[in-house]
Amino acid sequence: MSSIDGGKARARVKKLFFRKLLPLSDMARRGAAYFPMGADPSAATYYVARNATRMSRGDFEAPVCADENEFGKKLAALWERSGNPELAKCAPEMAACAGLLYAPEEIDDEVSPFIYVMF
Amino acid sequence: MSRQLLEYHSVIGYRFIPGLKARVEHEAGGYLVRTNGAGFRCDREFLPARGPSRRALLFGDSYTAGDGVSNGKRYGDLLETMVPNLEVYNFGLSGSGTDQQYLAYREFARGIERDLVIIAVFVENIMRVNARYRFFRNENNEEVLYEKPYFSLGAEGLTLHGVPPERRPLREMDLPPDARSRIDAGGRFASLRLLARRLGIKDLAQRITRYNPVVEYNRPDDPRWLLMRALLAEWIREIGGPVLVVPVPLYQFIEGTSDPSCYQARFAELARDTGCHLHDPLPDLKAYPKEERRAFRFARDVHYTPAGHRALAASLAPAVQSILDAAGS
Amino acid sequence: MSTTILGISSFYHDSAAALVRDGEIVAAAQEERFSRKKHDPRFPRHAINYCLEEAFIEADELDAIVFYDNPLLTWDRVVKNCVMAGEPAFEQFEKAAASILGIKLWVQDYARRTLGCLGRSGRVLFTDHHFAHAASAFYPSPFREAAILTLDGVGEWDTTAIGRGDDDGIELAQVIEYPHSLGLLYSAFTYFCGFKVNSGEYKLMGLAPYGRPVYERIIRDNLIDLKDDGSFRLNMEYFGYLDSFRMTNERFDALFGGPPRQPESRITRREMDLAMSVQAVLEDAVLRLARHARRESGAPNLVMAGGVALNCVANGKLLREGIFDHIWIQPASGDAGGALGAALMAAHGYFGSPRRMSPGGRDTLKGSYLGPAYSSAEVRAFLERHGYPYERIEDPDGRARTVAQALADGKVTGFLSGRMEFGPRALGARSIIGDPRSETMQSTMNLKIKYRESFRPFAPSCLAENAAEYFDLDVESPYMLLVAPVREERCIPFDREAFYNNEDMLQIINQARSDLPAITHVDFSARVQTVHPDDHPDYYRLIRAFREITGFGVIINTSFNVRGEPIVCSPADAYRCFMRTEMDLLVLEDCLLWKSNQPAFAEAGDWRKDYELD
Ligand SMILES: [Fe+2]
């Protein structure tokens, strides 16, 4: 929807990808994959059982982020819980990117007091 | 993107579509508009016969119709909560001049029993009264020109012209040159908007200090004021009963950047000569601290905010109360 | 104390808003209908405005604003995807960062700006994506308990979820995770056959009956491993969506004899056969998933949502297979329906509103007529302002007779009546309607009115009680989500071998296939809408009048728009579309407008440029 404008943000995202994430790629390829890339003849089923089968009240409230700091903390906690400390380490850098990228579309109505929307 | 709110009317030019329930998108989020079966933005249906309540008929433009705020947050509706046993019939019509409001009275209100008629004159209405055409924004967000009914003042008094007004939009280029000067492009704000574009906001701010947005009131014999005054005088005479005239100030007057003394003098003369009641809310509004006064209008839209409506209602309520009490005793 | 909840879906595809009060669905609408930008993904401020308008409440009276997706989990998926894909995924990462970190994360800011506040709770709540789909399917359904199956491209990590709903709420027990997705598989073929991903899936489904499943084996052997229990995995070696902006890659091309079809180029036998092949695989997967859901849930009924649930051909098979006693499918099954699901999920799962069941045993979706209506006064205000000539017929029966006679005379009619539909299908509130008996109507309406590919058949609307006269269908299909065979005695057999050897689709299309040629697909099927008098009395009345005049209780119903345009919403939208096309008659509530009486419609520029082809 939006493209990254502003060289600063772009540079930071690039750095994040090449310096922090790409090094994890080899590890992921060497076996610690984040998800399977194809069939597994030995598997009886491909269904994944959900840990929590219902949404708790807390689940509704958990994802809200007031600012990038909160986002960074929640992201790190998520990855600590899921056993991805290597990603949790990247969370602060991602939060910084979020701060730079923050770009909700402007809602601009030119309001003229004497021109009415009509007909 | 919001609904069409207004429909053609062969005398007034237009009115609200009857029976509407709409929400209008607005910089402050949006506001709810409900219209009654008569095509006015009033939660009450207009009944000819008065019940046990005291009844005020309220006329005005968008400041009275309440552009920017929901029905219940307008000063007219708030008056009902401040003055015991009062019902207000709101005939406010957005974008209208005092001339069209007078026509609305003649078309819709003449036969309605009441204790008081309140004519709220947004002071800039004087420009609309002197205009024959007016710009509106259509559903495609284009500014289009519409004809409006208007009065002229001659030796025999007022004459109504332009009825029925053309229902379709006109093009400015198709008007004869002398008619082009009779377009109301959105008050003096229109030229201010142009200036702002040309000069930038900072320069503009300097220019509007002490800027008088309504020069038409400067002299008692200005023909534009004479027309306005004749209209109000005839309307007041026709009503016969108690009338309260309320000059509704532009924000420049409330915020102290313009001098109101000319228009105040003109309305005082009108009250003196016609015997109507006059309530000038400006001193009450100016008594609020500066930041509160700024919050009487929206960030961009200069219409009154709910706070502005509350302040106006608070100023008006005692005046309305005392007129009703005097009439009742 | 009543509880009012606003649900929002946005930033992906087809934004929408929905409002639920004490568990009752009050309003729901897609942003595209107001912004006039097809599949508008922007924050749905106009749709929100409409929802508050319909409920006639202030924003600060909302108890909660709920978003249908968890952006943290979505970001988790994006990051892991890019790590797995490595360097080639950089561009994708850059784009995802801009849209998730720059926009999606800040939904609360959007809500505050749009509404001026965040309602009573002062913050936005979130649901998991598939819980929103599940809630949109289960809560409005007529079932006290049901198995739940949600199928889409992807939401956060999940692409498929199986669970159940009952008095205790919704439980999702098993999922299939990204990148393994039936929705993405189908979209890959949509892309490969030259249609747009996320909107062209419907065309692929419509193309399938022209083809034979000659590639089914190749798909099963190479692209998908489908277990007996319905679980599956894709072979990512053939797909491009992990690390590029294409759905498929060169290996996929090699598998199917060359590169993807160029959009708008001629459709060849390969595309027809590919469409049929992937459709066959999809149907098999859906049946297996359904059997598994039946076993796991123990529930006799099934509810479905998610974009794949819009595949009404698969749904029809599922129904006829008899795995479940009854099936109910959410008509707004795509992203838009997530807004409704999020609101319902929060209403019942967060605020504990008791579930509302319809006493009559029908669903509580109100026929999906959840959008804005325009009063006769509003319509007339519009027409009078512009001076458009019209005839007003206030008597509903007289009006129905007049319109039905026009249809019988071969007039194509734009029909705007009552509240607008929520979801991708027009159901008689914003429809273009015509006579299904005409042999040329399918081509005429496609080419002169819809300006779209002519291979797609139209859907029929029929009176609910007469459906069995025309179709092998013994249940209601109020949302046009079931494909059923046209009754055999109505069909005209033709030489199928010659048909499959023929590349000229138009020749096939113009060949009568039944006594209702315009709505009978080449495989003698039809995508049926059954019309119930409670859901839309005016539309029901019209079809009844058509039956009285012609003996046929069926009419053509296609959405009121041209190709690439969102379905019309307001009388102004409808008038514009009417004047741009070769429709003969326009019905705006109780006002009728004949094309022959209208003044010339002048427009600046070429309106066709406004609409990107879908
Ligand atoms: Fe989805």
Side-chain angles (χ1 to χ4, degrees):
Chain A
M1 179 182 288
S2 72
S3 61
I4 300 179
D5 42 19
K8 213 169 149 193
R10 183 184 282 266
R12 195 90 180 240
V13 167
K14 195 168 179 181
K15 211 170 101 187
L16 168 65
F17 183 82
F18 285 99
R19 299 234 185 117
K20 305 254 179 182
L21 296 181
L22 210 49
L24 303 176
S25 252
D26 295 334
M27 187 185 82
R29 289 220 184 91
R30 277 199 307 273
Y34 290 129
F35 50 76
M37 297 286 278
D40 175 0
S42 68
T45 181
Y46 294 134
Y47 287 118
V48 177
R50 279 184 66 105
N51 294 332
T53 59
R54 292 177 185 275
M55 276 195 73
S56 69
R57 278 179 69 88
D59 292 336
F60 285 93
E61 296 163 357
V64 71
C65 296
D67 56 28
E68 65 258 34
N69 289 331
E70 193 175 1
F71 169 63
K73 282 191 194 120
K74 286 189 171 172
L75 203 53
L78 170 77
W79 280 327
E80 291 296 349
R81 276 200 310 277
S82 64
N84 302 114
E86 76 286 0
L87 291 175
K89 267 187 261 166
C90 305
E93 188 54 26
M94 290 175 183
C97 286
L100 288 175
L101 289 167
Y102 175 86
E105 55 195 89
E106 266 304 316
I107 299 167
D108 63 316
D109 293 319
E110 213 205 292
V111 181
S112 157
F114 298 100
I115 304 283
Y116 297 94
V117 177
M118 68 183 283
F119 309 135
Chain B
M1 230 58 73
S2 304
R3 279 172 197 268
Q4 178 177 332
L5 299 180
L6 301 163
E7 67 174 16
Y8 177 74
H9 187 273
S10 58
V11 175
I12 307 167
Y14 57 88
R15 63 167 171 168
F16 286 104
I17 297 170
L20 266 188
K21 266 172 81 180
R23 186 174 189 271
V24 180
E25 293 180 31
H26 187 260
E27 62 173 271
Y31 60 97
L32 300 168
V33 170
R34 188 199 296 273
T35 67
N36 65 16
F40 288 91
R41 203 184 146 186
C42 185
D43 288 353
R44 300 180 180 279
E45 288 300 333
F46 294 160
L47 306 173
R50 195 178 33 191
S53 301
R54 299 182 290 185
R55 184 185 284 169
L57 311 187
L58 174 61
F59 291 83
D61 70 346
S62 54
Y63 283 73
T64 300
D67 284 27
V69 301
S70 297
N71 281 23
K73 295 179 177 171
R74 302 173 301 177
Y75 75 89
D77 299 62
L78 297 174
L79 273 178
E80 291 189 350
T81 67
M82 295 174 181
V83 179
N85 197 28
L86 173 70
E87 60 183 23
V88 174
Y89 281 11
N90 192 326
F91 287 85
L93 184 57
S94 300
S96 63
T98 308
D99 47 2
Q100 290 164 294
Q101 296 152 26
Y102 172 40
L103 292 173
Y105 168 81
R106 298 209 314 206
E107 289 290 311
F108 291 98
R110 234 189 315 220
I112 297 177
E113 290 180 359
R114 69 285 178 136
D115 302 279
L116 173 64
V117 174
I118 305 172
I119 302 175
V121 184
F122 178 53
V123 295
E124 219 205 44
N125 274 194
I126 194 166
M127 295 167 72
R128 289 179 211 170
V129 164
N130 282 282
R132 300 177 188 179
Y133 311 94
R134 196 160 149 61
F135 274 111
F136 287 90
R137 195 170 284 275
N138 71 7
E139 66 270 15
N140 300 323
N141 215 24
E142 300 152 347
E143 289 188 8
V144 289
L145 200 58
Y146 280 99
E147 200 173 29
K148 70 180 268 295
Y150 64 96
F151 289 86
S152 63
L153 181 60
E156 298 84 49
L158 291 166
T159 311
L160 175 61
H161 307 270
V163 172
E166 169 61 44
R167 64 173 68 216
R168 292 193 220 188
L170 310 166
R171 291 188 307 178
E172 187 171 356
M173 56 191 281
D174 295 340
L175 298 180
D178 62 317
R180 282 182 217 174
S181 63
R182 305 296 295 272
I183 296 172
D184 177 11
R188 214 133 278 150
F189 288 108
S191 45
L192 273 184
R193 280 210 310 270
L194 281 178
L195 263 184
R197 250 175 251 155
R198 223 174 293 144
L199 300 174
I201 295 301
K202 202 174 159 201
D203 276 346
L204 183 70
Q206 286 161 0
R207 295 209 181 190
I208 59 174
T209 310
R210 310 313 298 170
Y211 168 81
N212 182 355
V214 278
V215 293
E216 292 83 352
Y217 295 102
N218 283 6
R219 293 192 341 260
D221 59 350
D222 186 301
R224 294 165 297 188
W225 163 248
L226 290 176
L227 175 60
M228 176 73 144
R229 183 193 152 105
L231 262 173
L232 285 167
E234 179 156 320
W235 189 2
I236 291 163
R237 189 183 50 74
E238 201 173 313
I239 291 166
V243 177
L244 172 63
V245 171
V246 182
V248 176
L250 284 143
Y251 74 88
Q252 290 94 329
F253 298 117
I254 301 174
E255 292 169 31
T257 52
S258 295
D259 177 3
S261 55
C262 289
Y263 86 75
Q264 286 176 320
R266 300 291 87 78
F267 280 100
E269 292 156 15
L270 174 82
R272 184 193 64 208
D273 297 347
T274 61
C276 74
H277 300 277
L278 176 69
H279 178 77
D280 180 3
L282 187 61
D284 288 340
L285 297 177
K286 284 185 80 166
Y288 288 82
K290 197 171 172 215
E291 308 78 66
E292 282 185 50
R293 278 184 279 154
R294 176 58 186 84
F296 288 166
R297 63 178 162 113
F298 295 98
R300 282 174 288 175
D301 179 358
V302 297
H303 284 105
Y304 288 5
T305 57
H309 278 275
R310 276 196 302 275
L312 181 55
S315 170
L316 262 176
V320 170
Q321 175 94 55
S322 74
I323 297 170
L324 290 173
D325 290 350
S329 58
Chain C
M1 246 308 256
S2 94
T3 307
T4 309
I5 299 163
L6 179 71
I8 291 169
S9 65
S10 74
F11 303 140
Y12 290 83
H13 190 253
D14 211 9
S15 294
L19 191 136
V20 169
R21 186 188 277 147
D22 297 329
E24 185 195 347
I25 302 166
V26 173
Q30 291 134 277
E31 181 69 1
E32 62 163 24
R33 306 293 170 87
F34 305 97
S35 69
R36 308 308 300 154
K37 181 180 184 299
K38 185 104 168 168
H39 302 311
D40 196 339
R42 291 173 293 184
F43 193 76
R45 62 194 181 108
H46 306 307
I48 290 171
N49 183 65
Y50 156 67
C51 286
L52 294 173
E53 172 179 277
E54 190 66 45
F56 215 65
I57 57 164
E58 304 283 354
D60 59 15
E61 295 174 75
L62 289 169
D63 290 281
I65 299 160
V66 192
F67 191 68
Y68 82 130
D69 195 272
N70 181 332
L72 285 170
L73 291 178
T74 302
W75 180 245
D76 173 44
R77 190 226 322 144
V78 164
V79 168
K80 287 175 176 167
N81 178 102
C82 289
V83 170
M84 289 289 287
E87 193 162 348
F90 172 64
E91 266 185 72
Q92 213 183 50
F93 181 76
E94 199 176 31
K95 208 169 170 202
S99 82
I100 298 178
L101 302 185
I103 295 168
K104 290 169 187 162
L105 210 49
W106 310 113
V107 58
Q108 184 160 288
D109 290 18
Y110 278 93
R112 191 188 290 113
R113 278 179 199 219
T114 305
L115 292 164
C117 68
L118 289 173
R120 293 200 174 111
S121 69
R123 67 173 162 201
V124 167
L125 300 176
F126 294 80
T127 63
D128 287 354
H129 188 99
H130 279 261
F131 271 95
H133 278 316
S136 77
F138 175 64
Y139 287 114
S141 80
F143 313 135
R144 186 149 293 286
E145 56 171 339
I148 298 173
L149 178 56
T150 62
L151 300 161
D152 68 1
V154 60
E156 295 128 9
W157 274 100
D158 301 336
T159 69
T160 305
I162 289 178
R164 65 174 276 136
D166 56 27
D167 288 340
D168 291 334
I170 285 174
E171 185 179 70
L172 294 181
Q174 293 178 319
V175 294
I176 293 175
E177 292 181 336
Y178 181 86
H180 310 291
S181 162
L182 287 179
L184 293 174
L185 173 72
Y186 207 81
S187 293
F189 279 90
T190 301
Y191 159 79
F192 192 75
C193 289
F195 303 116
K196 275 200 177 167
V197 169
N198 259 331
S199 62
E201 284 75 7
Y202 227 66
K203 298 181 186 177
L204 193 71
M205 186 183 75
L207 190 59
Y210 291 91
R212 281 174 296 193
V214 296
Y215 299 105
E216 185 179 349
R217 195 71 258 155
I218 299 180
I219 296 173
R220 287 178 189 274
D221 288 348
N222 297 280
L223 300 185
I224 184 168
D225 182 32
L226 181 60
K227 301 267 189 200
D228 285 340
D229 66 359
S231 64
F232 57 87
R233 274 200 196 152
L234 303 185
N235 184 349
M236 294 315 298
E237 289 174 18
Y238 291 93
F239 296 90
Y241 55 84
L242 283 190
D243 60 1
S244 77
F245 295 110
R246 293 175 58 202
M247 290 301 292
T248 59
N249 60 22
E250 296 74 21
R251 297 185 57 147
F252 192 100
D253 300 355
L255 216 46
F256 299 110
R261 169 185 166 249
Q262 285 301 308
E264 307 303 314
S265 67
R266 202 172 70 89
I267 295 170
T268 68
R269 179 97 335 254
R270 180 183 74 155
E271 284 80 48
M272 302 181 210
D273 291 339
L274 279 171
M276 190 59 187
S277 304
V278 71
Q279 180 68 30
V281 172
L282 179 84
E283 286 167 13
D284 184 27
V286 169
L287 292 182
R288 291 184 201 204
L289 283 161
R291 284 193 198 97
H292 180 70
R294 177 80 173 91
R295 276 194 302 273
E296 290 289 308
S297 69
N301 303 313
L302 174 70
V303 297
M304 288 172 75
V308 179
L310 292 171
N311 192 302
C312 37
V313 179
N315 298 342
K317 290 251 165 75
L318 181 57
L319 179 73
R320 284 187 291 283
E321 209 55 30
I323 300 166
F324 286 94
D325 296 354
H326 302 283
I327 298 176
W328 193 87
I329 302 157
Q330 165 57 242
S333 257
D335 263 7
L340 177 60
L344 287 167
M345 192 67 211
H348 302 291
Y350 188 87
F351 288 99
S353 295
R355 186 175 170 209
R356 295 201 174 217
M357 301 283 293
S358 156
R362 302 184 77 236
D363 66 51
T364 54
L365 199 69
K366 303 178 175 175
S368 208
Y369 304 110
L370 299 169
Y374 294 85
S375 68
S376 175
E378 289 179 272
V379 167
R380 280 175 284 127
F382 164 72
L383 297 175
E384 294 281 348
R385 184 77 242 179
H386 294 275
Y388 299 144
Y390 65 94
E391 172 193 3
R392 186 173 180 212
I393 306 179
E394 288 181 76
D395 164 41
D397 289 311
R399 191 165 69 239
R401 270 195 305 276
T402 305
V403 179
Q405 186 60 57
L407 295 180
D409 294 341
K411 306 295 183 205
V412 179
T413 301
F415 194 72
L416 182 152
S417 172
R419 295 181 66 180
M420 182 177 72
E421 303 87 346
F422 180 52
R425 302 282 83 82
L427 301 169
R430 302 290 184 278
S431 291
I432 299 172
I433 52 182
D435 186 344
R437 300 171 301 161
S438 157
E439 283 181 27
T440 52
M441 198 49 102
Q442 182 179 349
S443 304
T444 305
M445 283 178 70
N446 269 324
L447 298 174
K448 291 189 171 178
I449 288 146
K450 303 282 285 189
Y451 303 115
R452 69 175 198 187
E453 306 90 333
S454 63
F455 70 83
R456 299 162 67 194
F458 289 107
S461 295
C462 67
L463 303 180
E465 65 270 24
N466 300 139
E469 282 178 38
Y470 306 99
F471 311 103
D472 288 331
L473 182 71
D474 55 5
V475 297
E476 272 198 74
S477 176
Y479 305 119
M480 219 180 255
L481 284 165
L482 296 173
V483 163
V486 174
R487 285 192 73 95
E488 205 176 336
E489 64 270 23
R490 295 188 172 274
C491 296
I492 303 165
F494 59 91
D495 181 356
R496 292 204 78 82
E497 271 320 298
F499 166 69
Y500 287 130
N501 292 325
N502 192 344
E503 290 247 338
D504 181 5
M505 297 178 79
L506 259 186
Q507 209 183 325
I508 302 169
I509 290 154
N510 286 329
Q511 185 176 345
R513 295 172 291 274
S514 76
D515 60 353
L516 296 164
I519 56 95
T520 306
H521 210 338
V522 292
D523 60 353
F524 303 112
S525 70
R527 186 159 45 91
V528 184
Q529 179 197 4
T530 59
V531 180
H532 194 283
D534 291 353
D535 290 341
H536 200 316
D538 266 357
Y539 196 48
Y540 181 88
R541 224 177 256 123
L542 170 64
I543 302 170
R544 196 178 55 193
F546 187 75
R547 183 180 168 91
E548 279 159 15
I549 293 169
T550 65
F552 283 78
V554 184
I555 61 172
I556 296 177
N557 172 7
T558 184
S559 53
F560 197 153
N561 61 343
V562 294
R563 186 179 174 193
E565 181 193 18
I567 295 177
V568 302
C569 177
S570 68
D573 301 333
Y575 187 83
R576 197 183 312 117
C577 185
F578 171 62
M579 292 307 292
R580 285 170 172 177
T581 60
E582 294 179 46
M583 271 182 257
D584 305 294
L585 173 64
L586 174 63
V587 180
L588 298 174
E589 294 301 339
D590 59 3
C591 298
L592 275 59
L593 290 83
W594 292 93
K595 175 69 65 61
S596 51
N597 295 340
Q598 299 306 310
F601 191 63
E603 281 186 287
D606 181 2
W607 61 267
R608 284 178 179 81
K609 295 202 178 98
D610 295 351
Y611 304 125
E612 202 182 316
L613 292 181
D614 60 2

